[in-house]
Amino acid sequence: MNNVSKSNTVEAKHACCKPKNTTQPDASDDKVTNNLASSDQQSEHHLIVDGASCASCVSKIEKALNSVEGVQSAEMNFAQRTVVVVGNVADASLISAVEIAGYNAKIDTSESEEEAVDEKDKADAKYYKKLIRDMTIALLIGVPLMIYGLAIGEMTVTTTTERLVWFAVGLLTLGVMIFSGKHFYIGAWNSFKNHSANMDTLIALGTGTAWIYSMVVVAVPDLLPLMARHIYFEATAMIIGLINLGLALEVKARGKTSEAIKRLIGLQSKTARVIRDNKDIDIPIENVLLDDLVRVRPGEKISVDGVVTEGHTAIDESMLTGEPMPVEKTEGDKVVAGTINKSGSIVFKATRVGKDTALAQIINMVKRAQNSKPPIGRMADVISAYFVPVIMIIAVLSALAWLNFGPTPSIAFAIVSATTVLIIACPCALGLATPMSVMVGVGKAAEAGVLIRNGEALQTASTITTMILDKTGTITEGAPKVTDVLVAKKLSREEVLMFAASIEAGSEHPLAMAVVESAKEQGIEPKKVTGFASIAGQGVEAKLDSNVLLFGNEKLMAKRGINIEGFIDKAQAFAEEAKTPMYLAVNDELAAVIAVADPIKSDSIEAIKRLQNSGIRVVMLTGDNRLTAKAIAEKVGISEYFAEVLPEDKAKKVLEFQKEGEIVGMTGDGINDAPALAHANVGFAIGTGTDVAIESADITLMRGSLHGLADAIAVSKATLSNIRQNLFGAFIYNVAGVPIAAGVLYPFFGLLLSPVIAGAAMAFSSLTVVTNANRLRFFKAKDH
Amino acid sequence: MLWINLIGVALIAIIVWWFWLYKPSSVALQEGVVEVIVKDSVYQPSKIKIPANKESVLKFTRRDPSSCAETLLIPDLEINATLPLNKQESVTIPASPSGHYAFHCQMKMYVGELIIE
């Protein structure tokens, strides 16, 4: 199946939230690594068909598509000119089938990320205008009434003329309620029918109570004592106006919280220049097919993921990885969508298109993470489930207290306090406190090339006490080089390298690759071996013609009874220089000691210091020998390290630390260290550039630098601190505001809050939360 | 005053009953695809019963422009989705064990329940 197909479901979305400690392969991992064209999975393909002018075209197009091998069903929507095809089939076959039938077709990308963002922005802008209009109308009535009230002191009804005038004002206020506040009342009524209550319920009850009471005063004043004949129409109109204003400002502020994702989406290019029939043609990005050759000139964006087939250039990947230095690319190197070609002109073969590109998956992951909630938000969720009915009960109790114990006119005090309690309570601030900060924090991390899987990973990362770092590829470059070849037997250096390269040719271990690379550099081609076997944590064995080869560490030699005496000292000397010595035995005799060194990344020392300075215990784990491990650890300033750890024992080490009560972060390459990453409280997969399986860990560091790790911790701490501020503010606001609204200050200071002030406070409380979350946008990890 | 106090207590009792104690009548089991409209502070329907251990699809159409309706969360199934305005978004519920699973927007203005039986 071609990956361009629009399968607009969120089936895979929970894959990101899979429980920890699972060793099952992630469906989305397959997506990263497999060419889905060869998958047996049936999937939906959405096409837009052009040129279908009559209903009979429908059957013609459906018939053409159904005749394509692999198509299970094809259904056309004539009104929308769209076709949904189900089957295991390439998009190109579908497009050509439609074209042969005499129509034009293209892949439907109507829900491309960019368009979705545009549509959302348009919808938000429209909603904002509506809220501003509603607010204006409500305040046009409310403000003059309030000024009048302040000018004359109190709005009461004493004469028939006053009654008539106030009746007209009451009807006008009703108009405001219907025109500007309709959504609150409809929402409240629908929720009520649904046995649930929310902010709408409180606003509707508060403003409704004030209006009904005022209308009772106007219509049947004799029901109430003279002193209680107050009018609260201005409160109703003002509250509706202010809350609409608060919502409008919130829409604006919320837009800013999603800037990071918009920026990522903006990286996608709209067109690509593909080479078809030896001609360069510009086509929409959605029509690029797997294996298409794409030409990119200097300054242009890479449109889809691929492998360079021609040319040489430097590519700026900073927008995805945070790595400022352009990366050199030549034939055989991978390029990813969204990055910018800086210098040369290249041609690359498309290997991942549409929603399968690394960029599309990054966008997906960031979006999912932005929507997820860290555990810290659960308390607010529990509270908000009970919040509104509790506020309603407090309003009733407050009214009863005023009626029983309040001064005259107690009914007026009761109405004011109940209304104010209902209006000041703000469940929204509580509800918004966590998600807004997560939204900004996750986006901020993405900008630094740190992909956070979900809210839980974000929160746990902020509490890590011990960080375990794998050595190879994490602290070091992961691209070792052969530095010394010490020949022990009557063999030439070339023969030694040929034997070593031949036995290691099939291995993907960085050390093995270094040996093969070194042999090739010297023009030595590895030969085919037989009986290859890998001995975990020790080395490899194989046969080359009649020679039995063994290549590995001291343990392997000891196990096989190979005499290495006389070379142990030299091997140790290599190790003390942070080189890894490996022994080659041919026919049960030591043939050579080959030393391989993996340089430490230039900024590892500084980044490790940053971690240590933030109070984190940094530990190094490696499968390498003790002396090499010691040398590396000392160089980078790590005092605790564990050498000769077998891959399967890395997870055990993580568990040991956890048993000591530590909250453990594990950083590795995400492939060899997968079990340890899964067992850690937070697993960090460190990538080299964009070539990383982004679903393999809780947090993925897109660039190879360990500064990404320190940045991830810093962002998570800043986000959690922001969430705490928000939650604290929202709790304090409600805990202090509701009793004050109920009138607890009245007995001491004669102070009773006006419902209008309560409305303003309520409207701006959620705005404060969003604004505080927006402060995170300016967060900067320590300069490095 | 006695009557007023009694009315107040009755109001509190009604609030407690209506919002917390009320047990809604049973909902019919819906197989396959269930369409849900997100509008005016409620999911329609807000109680959805789907079969256990069988995949189902909920098709949400958001008609409310307010941003709080935009996000759908089903925390216990670890599902979240962004609902575009006036467009249908399919949310696949994987084969799951029996149970009651709350779904809601981020601020819990919208609440619903997924009954898997």
Side-chain angles (χ1 to χ4, degrees), chain B residues 28-104:
Chain B
L29 189 77
Q30 289 162 291
E31 298 240 5
V33 176
V34 183
E35 295 198 0
V36 184
I37 304 292
V38 185
K39 193 184 167 193
D40 295 332
S41 293
V42 284
Y43 294 115
Q44 299 167 331
S46 63
K47 285 199 190 299
I48 301 162
K49 196 190 273 184
I50 54 171
N53 305 314
K54 205 173 168 188
E55 187 180 280
S56 301
V57 176
L58 306 185
K59 288 192 168 183
F60 285 84
T61 309
R62 174 164 74 100
R63 302 256 182 247
D64 180 350
S66 72
S67 35
C68 71
E70 193 182 22
T71 306
L72 170 83
L73 298 167
I74 314 179
D76 292 340
L77 295 176
E78 291 175 330
I79 291 176
N80 70 51
T82 303
L83 309 178
L85 186 63
N86 295 323
K87 272 190 184 160
Q88 210 168 52
E89 176 78 11
S90 296
V91 177
T92 302
I93 309 294
S96 307
S98 301
H100 288 232
Y101 301 86
F103 60 96
H104 52 82

Side-chain angles (χ1 to χ4, degrees), chain A residues 183-205:
Chain A
H183 47 290
F184 301 128
Y185 302 105
I186 294 175
W189 177 240
N190 283 331
S191 299
F192 178 78
K193 283 194 297 183
N194 226 14
H195 295 268
S196 61
N198 54 33
M199 181 192 82
D200 290 343
T201 315
L202 297 176
I203 298 167
L205 278 175

Side-chain angles (χ1 to χ4, degrees), chain A residues 318-528:
Chain A
S318 61
M319 55 293 291
L320 292 184
T321 64
E323 176 62 58
M325 291 298 288
V327 185
E328 294 288 321
K329 302 275 179 181
T330 185
E331 280 172 37
D333 287 340
K334 290 178 183 170
V335 290
V336 290
T339 56
I340 293 172
N341 180 24
K342 299 291 277 188
S343 51
S345 182
I346 54 164
V347 175
F348 71 86
K349 190 166 90 173
T351 53
R352 291 192 301 205
V353 296
K355 291 193 172 176
D356 276 359
T357 63
L359 175 61
Q361 292 186 49
I362 289 168
I363 291 168
N364 237 338
M365 189 175 177
V366 173
K367 276 168 78 175
R368 284 181 334 225
Q370 284 184 324
N371 281 343
S372 71
K373 263 188 195 175
I376 194 173
R378 281 182 203 146
M379 168 92 122
D381 274 356
V382 173
I383 292 174
S384 53
Y386 297 96
F387 187 87
V388 176
V390 165
I391 294 298
M392 288 158 74
I393 291 171
I394 293 174
V396 173
L397 288 174
S398 155
L400 286 181
W402 280 101
L403 287 168
N404 282 290
F405 311 110
T408 48
S410 61
I411 177 87
F413 280 113
I415 292 295
V416 169
S417 74
T419 304
T420 315
V421 165
L422 291 169
I423 295 298
I424 204 165
C426 186
C428 301
L430 270 178
L432 282 172
T434 310
M436 284 299 107
S437 307
V438 171
M439 183 99 145
V440 184
V442 167
K444 195 73 204 166
E447 279 176 10
V450 176
L451 301 181
I452 298 172
R453 184 193 282 269
N454 55 32
E456 190 176 347
L458 178 78
Q459 178 169 344
T460 317
S462 73
T463 59
I464 285 173
T465 54
T466 295
M467 178 64 77
I468 301 178
L469 305 176
D470 181 45
K471 180 182 77 74
T472 308
T474 302
I475 296 174
T476 64
E477 296 281 1
K481 285 194 165 51
V482 172
T483 55
D484 305 84
V485 179
L486 216 63
V487 182
K489 212 180 162 184
K490 283 180 185 163
L491 289 171
S492 67
R493 184 187 155 93
E494 285 71 28
E495 280 173 311
V496 163
L497 273 176
M498 186 272 290
F499 280 132
S502 302
I503 196 170
E504 293 284 36
S507 172
E508 286 191 356
H509 192 281
L511 295 181
M513 285 157 78
V515 172
V516 176
E517 199 60 36
S518 169
K520 283 184 176 170
E521 274 172 14
Q522 295 177 37
I524 301 164
E525 272 307 309
K527 291 184 177 168
K528 200 171 177 199

Side-chain angles (χ1 to χ4, degrees), chain A residues 605-625:
Chain A
I605 297 171
E606 201 189 326
I608 288 168
K609 211 172 198 173
R610 275 180 71 197
L611 287 171
Q612 288 166 333
N613 287 346
S614 62
I616 292 173
R617 174 182 173 191
V618 181
V619 178
M620 185 182 88
L621 277 195
T622 177
D624 220 332
N625 72 74

